[in-house]
Amino acid sequence: MIDRYTTRMPRGPRRSHGLTLVEVMVALVVGLILSAGAIQIFASSKQAFRTTDAVSRIQENGRYALQFLAKDIREAGFWGCAQDIEKNVTLNPGGGMDFDGPAIQGTEGGAGSPDSLTIRSATQNLRLNLTQAMPTTSAAIVVEEVTNVVPGDIMIITDCEAADVFQVTNAQSGSSAIVHNTGGGQSPGNATKDFSRSYGPSATTYTAREKDYTIGTTAEGEPALVRTVNGDAQVLVAGVQGMQLTYGVDSDNDETVNVYVQANDVADWDDVLAVRVALLLRSRDDNVVDTTQTYYFPGPDDAQAAPDRRLYQAFNATATIRNRLP
């Protein structure tokens, strides 16, 4: 006899629980919406970073380029105490340098092309005093100690009554003699080893520099501000696409600027007291801005439309020539 109180009937199979097709579709849609939002935030953040980075780089490069130009412009024409003395240049002609030229001199690019600038001066931070008189005009220059002078350097020696520009053919750190023979293998070389006079202990030597500023390109083909020092070209700042210069001229000999003109309109470069510099810089990468810019820069049309979606910015500064001001 079966006990109805203790006997249990077998259970049937458990029912399966899961997601319906509608629930799966809803989850997929929500996931896609969240993913699209995340992608949009990422893209916006990346674009904002690219724009901010481009602005920062342009501003840094612009200030850096103006700093170099302004410093060299201010020092143009510094020759120690030989400011108003005619220099005797012993260098071979045709070596690409002209130390007989004016302290500052520019060329007009024309039709919106970049201008160029040449600055001639001595370097104030390298000054060596003679310790004994030269027995002859071709004798070595004896100083306290040869420091930061190497063969091939262009130097000037002056005693405030005369001045000679020459090339060093032999100088060793720790020694006390600077030799200025002909030959030596460096360009342009000395045409003669004889100075205009024998200098005594009152004379001083400086390193002489002829600096040319132009717009060139980097190794990657990017536009750049290039400075050539005594024939040695150096890329200073990448991204500099344009350079326009105007010159402050003292037209009535009162030691003040009367008018700013372009290079072609400068009658006498010795009358230039200041230089206005305008630089146009662009970002390295394209597609930095949403639409093409209209930027303002001196040229045939001051307002110019950018040819691409790079970021463009103009920088301006005025530098005075210290050695020509009262």
Side-chain angles (χ1 to χ4, degrees), residues 166-246:
F166 64 96
Q167 187 166 38
V168 177
T169 56
N170 191 13
Q172 297 180 352
S173 180
S175 68
S176 58
I178 299 175
V179 182
H180 50 96
N181 291 327
T182 56
Q186 292 89 13
S187 178
N190 294 312
T192 176
K193 61 181 180 181
D194 292 306
F195 289 160
S196 59
R197 67 185 301 173
S198 298
Y199 290 93
S202 62
T204 305
T205 63
Y206 303 87
T207 301
R209 296 282 188 263
E210 183 181 82
K211 302 174 183 178
D212 298 309
Y213 280 92
T214 58
I215 300 300
T217 57
T218 65
E220 295 77 21
E222 185 180 2
L225 179 66
V226 177
R227 185 177 69 172
T228 302
V229 181
N230 291 353
D232 182 20
Q234 308 162 337
V235 174
L236 282 185
V237 183
V240 183
Q241 180 171 300
M243 179 170 65
Q244 296 295 319
L245 307 169
T246 53

Side-chain angles (χ1 to χ4, degrees), residues 72-325:
D72 286 340
I73 291 170
R74 287 194 294 266
E75 295 180 353
F78 170 77
W79 299 110
C81 62
Q83 301 297 119
D84 301 318
I85 299 174
E86 184 176 354
K87 299 180 293 295
N88 176 54
V89 180
T90 68
L91 305 176
N92 284 311
M97 290 172 277
D98 181 17
F99 285 96
D100 284 325
I104 196 161
Q105 187 176 14
T107 57
E108 187 66 28
S113 299
D115 295 345
S116 62
L117 181 67
T118 299
I119 300 169
R120 301 175 179 94
S121 67
T123 301
Q124 301 187 50
N125 59 358
L126 182 55
R127 170 177 175 171
L128 300 173
N129 297 318
L130 273 66
T131 58
Q132 67 183 52
M134 298 171 59
T136 64
T137 58
S138 61
I141 302 169
V142 180
V143 296
E144 304 101 326
E145 181 181 350
V146 175
T147 305
N148 297 326
V149 178
V150 297
D153 282 352
I154 308 296
M155 302 192 74
I156 181 173
I157 182 171
T158 180
D159 60 1
C160 304
E161 296 180 1
D164 285 82
V165 177
F166 64 96
Q167 187 166 38
V168 177
T169 56
N170 191 13
Q172 297 180 352
S173 180
S175 68
S176 58
I178 299 175
V179 182
H180 50 96
N181 291 327
T182 56
Q186 292 89 13
S187 178
N190 294 312
T192 176
K193 61 181 180 181
D194 292 306
F195 289 160
S196 59
R197 67 185 301 173
S198 298
Y199 290 93
S202 62
T204 305
T205 63
Y206 303 87
T207 301
R209 296 282 188 263
E210 183 181 82
K211 302 174 183 178
D212 298 309
Y213 280 92
T214 58
I215 300 300
T217 57
T218 65
E220 295 77 21
E222 185 180 2
L225 179 66
V226 177
R227 185 177 69 172
T228 302
V229 181
N230 291 353
D232 182 20
Q234 308 162 337
V235 174
L236 282 185
V237 183
V240 183
Q241 180 171 300
M243 179 170 65
Q244 296 295 319
L245 307 169
T246 53
Y247 303 89
V249 175
D250 174 15
S251 59
D252 56 6
N253 201 29
D254 64 350
E255 297 182 330
T256 59
V257 173
N258 301 109
V259 63
Y260 280 88
V261 299
Q262 295 181 338
N264 293 340
D265 298 320
V266 176
D268 187 348
W269 288 101
D270 290 337
D271 293 334
V272 173
L273 303 183
V275 182
R276 281 180 179 169
V277 181
L279 299 177
L280 177 64
L281 280 81
R282 76 176 195 187
S283 63
R284 180 184 59 187
D285 299 325
D286 201 351
N287 299 316
V288 173
V289 294
D290 295 333
T291 58
T292 57
Q293 287 182 279
T294 297
Y295 59 85
Y296 296 86
F297 189 70
D301 299 308
D302 287 345
Q304 303 178 42
D308 48 38
R309 288 170 54 193
R310 287 184 171 90
L311 182 65
Y312 290 81
Q313 186 172 348
F315 293 81
N316 301 273
T318 300
T320 56
I321 303 174
R322 289 177 176 171
N323 297 288
R324 294 183 176 176
L325 297 177

